[in-house]
Amino acid sequence: LGATIDQAQSALERNPYFAHVANYLKGYALFRAEIEVQILGSEQAIRNDLLGYCGTLDRRVMIAGEEAVIDIKTSQSVSASWALQLAAYAMAVEVVTPMKRFALRLMRDGTYRLDQFDGPDDRELFAIAARSVNAQIAAKVWRVQRRDP
């Protein structure tokens, strides 16, 4: 532990940017201290072949006995697009039961906010968007192939 602390202090001294990062790390440490969370996966590559997308899930966890996905954010405000992003992550890893979906916002003052996204239509809205994008890509490929001799 001492060596790790020494390395962190050395990094802070060499690069002032790390001092800015420290408060976000405090927020994450506070979250872990206050909320009982079992980490099932971290920085997990996910994919959904049916809808044709992939991504990287920040955390797959158990919270209060229920499986959930968490995306870690540093934004001070919530974005509406997160609901669809989290729906996509959940749809890629869900087996039977829909998973809970959270954005963990690490605040610049060293605190955190845990925002739950539970819109009943989020998954279907994302699926519609993914199919639309895939159709647009397929149409472009088809047009290019028609032009090739």
Side-chain angles (χ1 to χ4, degrees), residues 6-125:
D6 287 343
Q7 288 174 348
Q9 289 171 335
S10 178
L12 281 170
E13 291 166 5
R14 285 191 316 271
N15 187 339
Y17 177 73
F18 286 113
H20 177 69
V21 171
N23 276 344
Y24 293 103
L25 295 174
K26 285 179 192 174
Y28 187 76
L30 184 60
F31 162 71
R32 291 299 309 269
E34 292 182 351
I35 308 288
E36 187 175 330
V37 174
Q38 178 188 359
I39 305 292
L40 302 175
S42 179
E43 294 299 316
Q44 180 180 0
I46 55 101
R47 63 187 278 168
N48 182 311
D49 291 329
L50 181 64
L51 294 175
Y53 68 90
C54 59
T56 303
L57 171 61
D58 287 344
R59 300 289 183 277
R60 185 173 174 192
V61 301
M62 291 292 287
I63 295 180
E66 294 189 69
E67 197 166 352
V69 294
I70 294 178
D71 196 54
I72 299 172
K73 306 289 191 185
T74 56
S75 175
Q76 302 300 293
S77 59
V78 175
S79 170
S81 67
W82 296 352
L84 300 185
Q85 178 188 13
L86 286 158
Y89 290 156
M91 290 167 62
V93 296
E94 290 169 338
V95 177
V96 177
T97 307
M99 299 172 76
K100 293 196 176 289
R101 299 170 286 132
F102 298 93
L104 172 60
R105 288 187 293 138
L106 304 177
M107 310 306 274
R108 57 178 89 101
D109 67 357
T111 61
Y112 71 91
R113 304 285 182 278
L114 187 62
D115 304 302
Q116 184 170 3
F117 292 83
D118 54 6
D121 299 326
D122 293 345
R123 287 169 175 80
E124 185 57 29
L125 289 172

Side-chain angles (χ1 to χ4, degrees), residues 120-135:
D121 299 326
D122 293 345
R123 287 169 175 80
E124 185 57 29
L125 289 172
F126 177 79
I128 290 167
R131 287 184 194 109
S132 174
V133 167
N134 289 337

